[in-house]
Amino acid sequence: MSDSIFNFEEELGKLPHSPGVYIMHSSTEEILYVGKAVDLHNRVRQYFRKGHGHNGSLKIAKMVSLISYFEYIVTSSEMEALVLECNLIKEHRPRFNTLMTDDKGYPYIKVTVGERFPRVVYSHRMARDKSKYFGPYTDRGAVHDTVALIKKLFKIRNCNKDLNKSDLTERPCLYYQIGQCSAPCAGLITPEEYGKQIESAMHFLNGNYKDIIDNLKLEMQDHASKLEFEKAAEKRNLIDSINTVMERQKVSNSTGNDKDIIAIAKNSTDAVISIFFVRDGNLLGRDNHHMSIDESDSDSEIITEFVKQYYNSTPFVPKEIITVSPLCEEKLIEEFLEDKKGQRVYIHVPQKGEMKALMKLAQDNALLVLSQDIERIKRHEKRTIGACKDIADLIGVDKVSRMEAFDISHISGYNQVASMVVFENGEPKKNSYRKFKLKTLEGADDYAAMKEVLSRRFTDEKLSVLPDVLMMDGGKGQVNVAEMVLDSLGIDIPVCGMVKDDNHRTRGLYYKNVELEFPKGSEAINMITALQDETHRFAISYHKLLRSKEQIHSILDDIDGIGPKRRKALLLYFKNIEAIKNASVEELAEVDGMNSAAAEKVYEFFNK
């Protein structure tokens, strides 16, 4: 939307005196900033008031100079606006918001108690379902070890099969043969007996694990006395993993007096937030998060943004949150967290005593991480954002934030597919990747294939965000095709060809009929190589997937009445097509999901 279309005075006058979220856009439709307001009319107008000065913030002044238009979403309350603001910031990551540069999640141990024969599994998040969750934990490796140990100790099934049906007659798997599963799939244990094993596993997860630790120690000592040091070390590692997880374990809906202690260390562009976890009075762990900041951001502003983004994305909220500086909008954030937790949450700054000492420890930790990691941060930025700047300088454009690359894959024109890979700020953005199966083309013609793919991509309303630069996996021919498609659609985007040398290594870019060499020592060549390799890999993997599906389809899916479920059941039961061909009608009818009519159709198909 251009300035000529968007009349700022007129639109500012339309702003309602209501709570809501406002979204600032650039002329290229990039989302620059997302904010919330108690009164949209008063808050948004402040940005454009002459002489306002933006509280001395160069960042906000720069952002305002880039605004081409804004939009807003009215909400029923300020808290609803806060939740929406957090979600929009997480989704779009606007460059003028103070952002968490990492998006860590904490694992859980999930017991699927809603199933007839429950499982114990590692889970990346806590969902609103019938399962019971233990956690969150900070040591992912120890969680994996503990889940594996629980399955082994209590003979909990490893499979994901649907065992809710009453008639279970499958053949027991290898885990049953080695004594690590009670084989509910084969009906060798009743739901009641299996339920007792699950109860024991949850008893273990609730912290009653001393007897198991003692037995493991005896086994470790026995292996050591027999000079079986590798087996002894394995038992020692299991003990360490159990202790690590069990000391930090916590059922997510319990009501202990838990605390998170949040401290900060910063320089002009980066901040490290250290968060210490206190559970039942014990310091059980800590984690660190990086945030990109502006020099004018205060500690309170940074910590406020962290608290909103962090607790919006993690399911567990402690009873107390202790911060080194008071939060902006503290009462509103308390209300938001209380609504999420379902009980009272307290936020405060420690004044004395043990919490003050722990805050000092958290601050020292944050300073140490910042001093150790700042060089790593700079190296990462040089490889990503710095490489994008090198590309922009090389081809003479203002910025190269988003790049899209395309590649075609086929075998002699058969099953032609294309890949679209997206890099943003020098890194893959995999949720924006797209696959295309060619619809209109017959025979091998890469240029015609690319024309179809680009036409579909740039006319797809769902793909409204345009790249800053289009990268074609090829030379002059592919670049010309892309430019022709863009011209026909009235879209002005720079198009580059990624050129390789005789050894198939990226050597430069073909742009405006000239091959450009990368600057000496530039990170750009590594980033473009990664982009080109990723585009090729993604196209090849899609083509292989289609070929494998075609091979299965050509044999079984041509049989009337045999769909994906029966096809899968037949292959699982008979293991291969040859066995299916040689099976009798009676044998085919024994397969799960097959009836006599379907069995006869399969038999007739192979024996007519």
Side-chain angles (χ1 to χ4, degrees), residues 462-527:
K462 295 179 181 178
L463 303 177
S464 57
V465 179
L466 299 180
D468 299 310
V469 175
L470 204 59
M471 292 287 180
M472 307 306 298
D473 188 30
K476 184 176 181 180
Q478 293 286 24
V479 170
N480 289 342
V481 170
E483 289 177 340
M484 180 183 68
V485 171
L486 294 175
D487 287 344
S488 69
L489 298 172
I491 300 172
D492 184 19
I493 297 173
V495 181
C496 296
M498 298 180 287
V499 183
K500 291 189 175 183
D501 60 21
D502 294 338
N503 296 316
H504 213 62
R505 292 177 299 201
T506 305
R507 72 177 186 217
L509 294 176
Y510 180 82
Y511 182 62
K512 290 187 175 180
N513 297 318
V514 177
E515 186 176 322
L516 305 174
E517 293 185 1
F518 294 108
K520 191 172 182 180
S522 168
E523 291 286 352
I525 189 168
N526 296 325
M527 185 183 67

Coordinates of all heavy atoms in Angstrom, one line a residue, residues 462-527:
K462 N -2.1 -16.6 -1.2 CA -1.6 -17.1 0.1 C -0.1 -16.7 0.3 O 0.4 -16.7 1.4 CB -1.8 -18.6 0.3 CG -3.3 -19.0 0.3 CD -3.4 -20.5 0.5 CE -4.8 -21.0 0.5 NZ -5.0 -22.4 0.6
L463 N 0.6 -16.5 -0.8 CA 2.0 -16.1 -0.8 C 2.2 -14.7 -1.1 O 2.8 -14.2 -2.1 CB 2.8 -17.0 -1.8 CG 2.7 -18.5 -1.6 CD1 3.4 -19.2 -2.8 CD2 3.2 -18.9 -0.3
S464 N 1.6 -13.8 -0.2 CA 1.5 -12.4 -0.5 C 2.8 -11.7 -0.2 O 3.1 -10.6 -0.7 CB 0.4 -11.8 0.3 OG 0.6 -12.0 1.7
V465 N 3.7 -12.3 0.7 CA 5.0 -11.6 1.0 C 5.9 -11.9 -0.1 O 6.2 -13.0 -0.5 CB 5.5 -12.2 2.3 CG1 6.9 -11.5 2.7 CG2 4.5 -12.0 3.5
L466 N 6.5 -10.8 -0.7 CA 7.4 -10.9 -1.8 C 8.8 -10.9 -1.4 O 9.1 -10.3 -0.3 CB 7.1 -9.8 -2.8 CG 5.7 -9.7 -3.4 CD1 5.6 -8.5 -4.4 CD2 5.4 -11.0 -4.2
P467 N 9.7 -11.6 -2.1 CA 11.1 -11.5 -1.7 C 11.8 -10.2 -2.1 O 11.3 -9.5 -3.0 CB 11.7 -12.7 -2.5 CG 10.8 -12.8 -3.7 CD 9.4 -12.4 -3.3
D468 N 12.9 -9.9 -1.5 CA 13.7 -8.8 -1.9 C 14.5 -9.1 -3.1 O 14.8 -8.2 -3.9 CB 14.6 -8.4 -0.7 CG 13.9 -8.0 0.5 OD1 13.0 -7.1 0.4 OD2 14.2 -8.5 1.6
V469 N 14.9 -10.4 -3.2 CA 15.7 -10.9 -4.4 C 15.2 -12.3 -4.7 O 15.0 -13.1 -3.8 CB 17.2 -10.9 -4.1 CG1 18.0 -11.5 -5.3 CG2 17.7 -9.5 -3.8
L470 N 15.2 -12.5 -6.0 CA 14.8 -13.9 -6.5 C 16.1 -14.5 -7.0 O 16.9 -14.0 -7.8 CB 13.9 -13.8 -7.7 CG 13.0 -15.0 -8.0 CD1 12.1 -15.3 -6.8 CD2 12.1 -14.7 -9.2
M471 N 16.4 -15.7 -6.4 CA 17.7 -16.4 -6.8 C 17.3 -17.7 -7.6 O 16.6 -18.6 -7.1 CB 18.4 -16.9 -5.5 CG 19.0 -15.7 -4.7 SD 20.4 -15.0 -5.5 CE 20.8 -13.7 -4.4
M472 N 17.8 -17.7 -8.8 CA 17.5 -18.8 -9.7 C 18.7 -19.8 -9.8 O 19.9 -19.3 -9.9 CB 17.2 -18.3 -11.1 CG 16.1 -17.2 -11.2 SD 14.6 -17.7 -10.4 CE 14.2 -19.1 -11.4
D473 N 18.4 -21.1 -9.7 CA 19.5 -22.1 -9.7 C 19.9 -22.3 -11.2 O 19.4 -23.3 -11.8 CB 19.0 -23.4 -9.1 CG 20.2 -24.4 -8.9 OD1 21.3 -23.9 -8.8 OD2 19.9 -25.6 -9.0
G474 N 20.6 -21.4 -11.8 CA 21.0 -21.5 -13.2 C 21.5 -20.2 -13.7 O 21.6 -19.2 -12.9
G475 N 21.9 -20.1 -14.9 CA 22.4 -18.9 -15.5 C 21.4 -18.1 -16.2 O 20.3 -17.9 -15.7
K476 N 21.9 -17.6 -17.3 CA 21.1 -16.5 -18.1 C 19.7 -17.0 -18.4 O 18.8 -16.2 -18.3 CB 21.9 -16.2 -19.3 CG 21.3 -15.1 -20.2 CD 22.2 -14.7 -21.3 CE 21.6 -13.6 -22.1 NZ 22.4 -13.2 -23.3
G477 N 19.6 -18.3 -18.9 CA 18.3 -18.8 -19.3 C 17.2 -18.7 -18.3 O 16.1 -18.2 -18.5
Q478 N 17.5 -19.2 -17.1 CA 16.5 -19.2 -16.0 C 16.3 -17.8 -15.5 O 15.1 -17.5 -15.2 CB 17.0 -20.1 -14.8 CG 17.1 -21.6 -15.1 CD 15.7 -22.2 -15.2 OE1 14.7 -21.6 -15.4 NE2 15.7 -23.5 -15.0
V479 N 17.3 -16.9 -15.5 CA 17.1 -15.5 -15.1 C 16.1 -14.9 -16.1 O 15.2 -14.1 -15.7 CB 18.4 -14.8 -15.0 CG1 18.2 -13.3 -14.9 CG2 19.3 -15.3 -13.9
N480 N 16.3 -15.1 -17.4 CA 15.4 -14.5 -18.4 C 14.0 -14.9 -18.2 O 13.0 -14.2 -18.4 CB 15.9 -14.8 -19.8 CG 17.2 -14.1 -20.1 OD1 17.5 -13.1 -19.5 ND2 17.9 -14.6 -21.1
V481 N 13.8 -16.2 -17.9 CA 12.4 -16.8 -17.7 C 11.8 -16.0 -16.5 O 10.6 -15.6 -16.6 CB 12.4 -18.3 -17.5 CG1 11.1 -18.8 -17.0 CG2 12.8 -19.0 -18.7
A482 N 12.5 -15.9 -15.4 CA 12.0 -15.3 -14.2 C 11.6 -13.8 -14.5 O 10.6 -13.3 -14.1 CB 13.0 -15.4 -13.1
E483 N 12.5 -13.1 -15.2 CA 12.3 -11.7 -15.5 C 11.0 -11.5 -16.4 O 10.2 -10.6 -16.2 CB 13.5 -11.1 -16.1 CG 14.6 -10.9 -15.1 CD 15.9 -10.3 -15.8 OE1 16.0 -10.5 -17.0 OE2 16.7 -9.8 -15.1
M484 N 10.9 -12.5 -17.3 CA 9.7 -12.4 -18.2 C 8.4 -12.6 -17.4 O 7.4 -11.9 -17.6 CB 9.8 -13.5 -19.3 CG 8.7 -13.5 -20.3 SD 8.8 -14.9 -21.4 CE 8.6 -16.3 -20.3
V485 N 8.4 -13.6 -16.5 CA 7.2 -13.8 -15.7 C 6.9 -12.6 -14.8 O 5.7 -12.1 -14.7 CB 7.4 -15.1 -14.8 CG1 6.2 -15.2 -13.8 CG2 7.5 -16.3 -15.7
L486 N 7.9 -12.0 -14.2 CA 7.7 -10.9 -13.3 C 7.2 -9.7 -14.1 O 6.3 -9.0 -13.6 CB 9.0 -10.6 -12.5 CG 9.4 -11.6 -11.5 CD1 10.8 -11.2 -10.9 CD2 8.4 -11.8 -10.4
D487 N 7.8 -9.5 -15.2 CA 7.3 -8.3 -16.1 C 5.9 -8.5 -16.5 O 5.1 -7.5 -16.5 CB 8.2 -8.2 -17.4 CG 9.6 -7.7 -17.0 OD1 9.8 -7.2 -15.9 OD2 10.5 -7.9 -17.9
S488 N 5.5 -9.7 -16.8 CA 4.1 -9.9 -17.3 C 3.1 -9.7 -16.1 O 1.9 -9.4 -16.4 CB 3.9 -11.4 -17.8 OG 4.0 -12.3 -16.7
L489 N 3.6 -9.8 -14.9 CA 2.7 -9.6 -13.7 C 2.9 -8.2 -13.1 O 2.2 -7.9 -12.1 CB 3.0 -10.7 -12.7 CG 2.7 -12.1 -13.1 CD1 3.3 -13.1 -12.0 CD2 1.2 -12.4 -13.3
G490 N 3.7 -7.4 -13.7 CA 4.0 -6.1 -13.2 C 4.7 -6.0 -11.9 O 4.4 -5.1 -11.0
I491 N 5.5 -7.0 -11.6 CA 6.2 -7.1 -10.3 C 7.7 -6.8 -10.5 O 8.4 -7.3 -11.4 CB 6.1 -8.5 -9.7 CG1 4.7 -8.8 -9.4 CG2 6.9 -8.6 -8.4 CD1 4.4 -10.3 -9.0
D492 N 8.2 -5.9 -9.7 CA 9.6 -5.4 -9.9 C 10.5 -6.0 -8.7 O 10.5 -5.5 -7.6 CB 9.7 -3.9 -9.9 CG 11.1 -3.4 -10.1 OD1 11.9 -4.1 -10.6 OD2 11.4 -2.2 -9.7
I493 N 11.1 -7.1 -9.0 CA 12.0 -7.7 -8.0 C 13.3 -8.1 -8.7 O 13.3 -8.6 -9.8 CB 11.4 -9.0 -7.5 CG1 10.1 -8.7 -6.7 CG2 12.4 -9.8 -6.5 CD1 9.3 -10.0 -6.3
P494 N 14.5 -7.8 -8.1 CA 15.8 -8.2 -8.7 C 15.9 -9.7 -8.8 O 15.5 -10.4 -7.9 CB 16.8 -7.6 -7.7 CG 16.1 -6.6 -6.9 CD 14.7 -7.0 -6.9
V495 N 16.4 -10.1 -10.0 CA 16.6 -11.6 -10.2 C 18.0 -11.9 -10.5 O 18.7 -11.3 -11.3 CB 15.8 -12.0 -11.4 CG1 15.9 -13.5 -11.7 CG2 14.3 -11.7 -11.3
C496 N 18.6 -12.8 -9.7 CA 20.0 -13.3 -9.9 C 20.0 -14.7 -10.2 O 19.2 -15.5 -9.7 CB 20.8 -13.0 -8.6 SG 20.9 -11.3 -8.1
G497 N 21.0 -15.1 -11.0 CA 21.3 -16.5 -11.2 C 22.5 -16.9 -10.4 O 23.5 -16.2 -10.3
M498 N 22.4 -18.1 -9.7 CA 23.5 -18.6 -8.9 C 24.4 -19.5 -9.8 O 24.0 -20.5 -10.2 CB 22.9 -19.4 -7.7 CG 22.0 -18.6 -6.8 SD 21.3 -19.5 -5.3 CE 20.1 -20.5 -6.2
V499 N 25.6 -19.0 -10.0 CA 26.4 -19.6 -11.0 C 27.5 -20.5 -10.3 O 28.1 -20.1 -9.3 CB 27.2 -18.5 -11.9 CG1 28.0 -19.2 -12.9 CG2 26.1 -17.6 -12.5
K500 N 27.7 -21.7 -10.9 CA 28.7 -22.6 -10.4 C 29.8 -22.8 -11.3 O 29.6 -22.6 -12.6 CB 28.0 -24.0 -10.1 CG 27.0 -24.0 -8.9 CD 26.6 -25.3 -8.5 CE 25.7 -25.3 -7.3 NZ 25.3 -26.6 -6.8
D501 N 31.0 -23.2 -10.8 CA 32.1 -23.4 -11.7 C 32.1 -24.9 -12.2 O 31.2 -25.6 -11.9 CB 33.4 -23.1 -10.9 CG 33.6 -23.9 -9.7 OD1 33.0 -25.0 -9.6 OD2 34.4 -23.5 -8.8
D502 N 33.2 -25.3 -12.8 CA 33.3 -26.6 -13.4 C 33.3 -27.7 -12.3 O 33.0 -28.9 -12.6 CB 34.5 -26.8 -14.3 CG 34.5 -25.9 -15.5 OD1 33.3 -25.5 -15.9 OD2 35.5 -25.5 -16.1
N503 N 33.7 -27.4 -11.1 CA 33.6 -28.3 -10.0 C 32.3 -28.3 -9.2 O 32.3 -28.8 -8.1 CB 34.8 -28.1 -9.1 CG 36.2 -28.3 -9.8 OD1 36.3 -29.3 -10.5 ND2 37.1 -27.3 -9.6
H504 N 31.3 -27.6 -9.8 CA 30.0 -27.5 -9.2 C 30.0 -26.8 -7.9 O 29.2 -27.0 -7.0 CB 29.4 -28.9 -9.0 CG 27.9 -29.0 -9.1 ND1 27.3 -28.6 -10.3 CD2 26.9 -29.3 -8.3 CE1 26.0 -28.7 -10.2 NE2 25.7 -29.1 -9.0
R505 N 30.9 -25.8 -7.8 CA 31.0 -24.9 -6.6 C 30.5 -23.5 -7.0 O 30.8 -23.0 -8.0 CB 32.4 -24.8 -6.0 CG 32.9 -26.2 -5.4 CD 34.3 -26.0 -5.0 NE 35.2 -25.7 -6.1 CZ 36.5 -25.9 -6.0 NH1 37.1 -26.5 -5.0 NH2 37.3 -25.6 -7.1
T506 N 29.7 -22.9 -6.1 CA 29.2 -21.6 -6.4 C 30.3 -20.6 -6.5 O 31.2 -20.5 -5.6 CB 28.2 -21.1 -5.3 OG1 27.2 -22.1 -5.1 CG2 27.6 -19.8 -5.6
R507 N 30.3 -19.8 -7.6 CA 31.4 -18.9 -7.8 C 31.0 -17.5 -7.9 O 31.8 -16.5 -7.8 CB 32.2 -19.3 -9.1 CG 31.4 -19.0 -10.4 CD 32.2 -19.3 -11.6 NE 31.5 -18.9 -12.8 CZ 31.6 -19.5 -14.0 NH1 32.2 -20.6 -14.1 NH2 30.9 -19.0 -15.0
G508 N 29.7 -17.2 -8.2 CA 29.2 -15.8 -8.3 C 27.7 -15.7 -8.6 O 27.0 -16.7 -8.6
L509 N 27.3 -14.5 -8.9 CA 25.9 -14.3 -9.3 C 25.8 -13.6 -10.7 O 26.6 -12.8 -11.1 CB 25.3 -13.3 -8.3 CG 25.1 -13.8 -6.8 CD1 24.6 -12.7 -6.0 CD2 24.2 -15.0 -6.8
Y510 N 24.8 -14.1 -11.4 CA 24.5 -13.5 -12.8 C 23.4 -12.5 -12.6 O 22.3 -12.8 -12.2 CB 24.1 -14.6 -13.7 CG 23.8 -14.1 -15.1 CD1 24.9 -13.8 -16.0 CD2 22.5 -13.8 -15.5 CE1 24.6 -13.4 -17.3 CE2 22.2 -13.4 -16.8 CZ 23.3 -13.1 -17.7 OH 23.0 -12.7 -18.9
Y511 N 23.7 -11.2 -12.8 CA 22.7 -10.1 -12.5 C 22.9 -9.1 -13.6 O 23.9 -8.5 -13.9 CB 23.0 -9.6 -11.2 CG 22.0 -8.5 -10.8 CD1 20.6 -8.8 -10.7 CD2 22.4 -7.2 -10.5 CE1 19.7 -7.8 -10.3 CE2 21.5 -6.2 -10.1 CZ 20.2 -6.5 -10.0 OH 19.3 -5.5 -9.7
K512 N 21.7 -8.8 -14.2 CA 21.7 -7.7 -15.3 C 22.7 -8.0 -16.4 O 23.5 -7.1 -16.7 CB 21.8 -6.3 -14.7 CG 20.6 -5.9 -13.9 CD 20.7 -4.5 -13.4 CE 19.4 -4.0 -12.7 NZ 19.5 -2.6 -12.2
N513 N 22.8 -9.2 -16.8 CA 23.6 -9.7 -18.0 C 25.1 -9.6 -17.6 O 25.9 -9.6 -18.5 CB 23.4 -8.8 -19.2 CG 21.9 -9.0 -19.7 OD1 21.4 -10.1 -19.7 ND2 21.3 -7.9 -20.1
V514 N 25.4 -9.6 -16.3 CA 26.9 -9.5 -15.9 C 27.1 -10.5 -14.8 O 26.2 -10.7 -13.9 CB 27.3 -8.1 -15.4 CG1 28.7 -8.1 -14.9 CG2 27.1 -7.1 -16.5
E515 N 28.2 -11.3 -14.9 CA 28.5 -12.2 -13.8 C 29.3 -11.4 -12.7 O 30.4 -10.9 -13.0 CB 29.3 -13.4 -14.3 CG 29.5 -14.4 -13.2 CD 30.2 -15.7 -13.6 OE1 29.9 -16.2 -14.8 OE2 31.0 -16.2 -12.9
L516 N 28.8 -11.4 -11.5 CA 29.5 -10.7 -10.4 C 30.2 -11.6 -9.5 O 29.7 -12.7 -9.1 CB 28.4 -9.9 -9.6 CG 27.5 -8.9 -10.4 CD1 26.4 -8.4 -9.5 CD2 28.3 -7.8 -11.0
E517 N 31.4 -11.3 -9.1 CA 32.2 -12.1 -8.2 C 31.9 -11.6 -6.8 O 31.8 -10.4 -6.5 CB 33.7 -12.0 -8.5 CG 34.0 -12.6 -9.9 CD 35.6 -12.6 -10.1 OE1 36.3 -12.1 -9.2 OE2 36.0 -13.1 -11.1
F518 N 31.9 -12.6 -5.8 CA 31.8 -12.2 -4.4 C 33.0 -11.5 -3.9 O 34.1 -11.8 -4.3 CB 31.5 -13.5 -3.6 CG 30.2 -14.2 -3.9 CD1 30.2 -15.4 -4.6 CD2 29.0 -13.6 -3.5 CE1 29.0 -16.0 -4.9 CE2 27.8 -14.2 -3.8 CZ 27.8 -15.4 -4.5
P519 N 32.8 -10.6 -3.0 CA 34.0 -9.9 -2.4 C 34.9 -10.9 -1.7 O 34.4 -11.9 -1.2 CB 33.4 -8.9 -1.4 CG 32.0 -8.7 -1.9 CD 31.6 -10.0 -2.5
K520 N 36.2 -10.7 -1.7 CA 37.1 -11.6 -1.1 C 36.9 -11.6 0.4 O 36.7 -10.6 1.1 CB 38.6 -11.1 -1.4 CG 39.6 -12.1 -1.0 CD 41.0 -11.6 -1.4 CE 42.0 -12.7 -1.1 NZ 43.4 -12.2 -1.5
G521 N 36.8 -12.9 0.9 CA 36.6 -13.1 2.3 C 35.1 -12.9 2.7 O 34.8 -12.9 3.9
S522 N 34.2 -12.7 1.7 CA 32.8 -12.5 2.0 C 32.1 -13.7 2.5 O 32.4 -14.8 2.0 CB 32.1 -11.9 0.8 OG 30.7 -12.0 1.0
E523 N 31.2 -13.6 3.5 CA 30.4 -14.7 4.0 C 29.3 -14.9 3.0 O 28.6 -16.0 3.1 CB 29.8 -14.4 5.4 CG 30.8 -14.3 6.5 CD 31.3 -15.7 6.9 OE1 30.7 -16.7 6.4 OE2 32.2 -15.8 7.7
A524 N 29.1 -14.0 2.0 CA 28.0 -14.2 1.1 C 28.1 -15.4 0.3 O 27.1 -16.1 0.0 CB 27.9 -12.9 0.2
I525 N 29.3 -15.8 -0.1 CA 29.5 -17.0 -1.0 C 29.0 -18.2 -0.2 O 28.4 -19.1 -0.8 CB 30.9 -17.1 -1.5 CG1 31.0 -18.2 -2.5 CG2 31.9 -17.4 -0.3 CD1 32.4 -18.2 -3.3
N526 N 29.3 -18.3 1.1 CA 28.9 -19.5 1.9 C 27.4 -19.5 2.0 O 26.8 -20.6 1.9 CB 29.5 -19.4 3.3 CG 31.0 -19.5 3.2 OD1 31.6 -20.2 2.4 ND2 31.7 -18.8 4.1
M527 N 26.8 -18.3 2.2 CA 25.3 -18.3 2.3 C 24.6 -18.7 1.0 O 23.6 -19.5 1.0 CB 24.8 -16.9 2.8 CG 23.3 -16.9 3.1 SD 22.8 -15.2 3.5 CE 23.0 -14.4 1.9

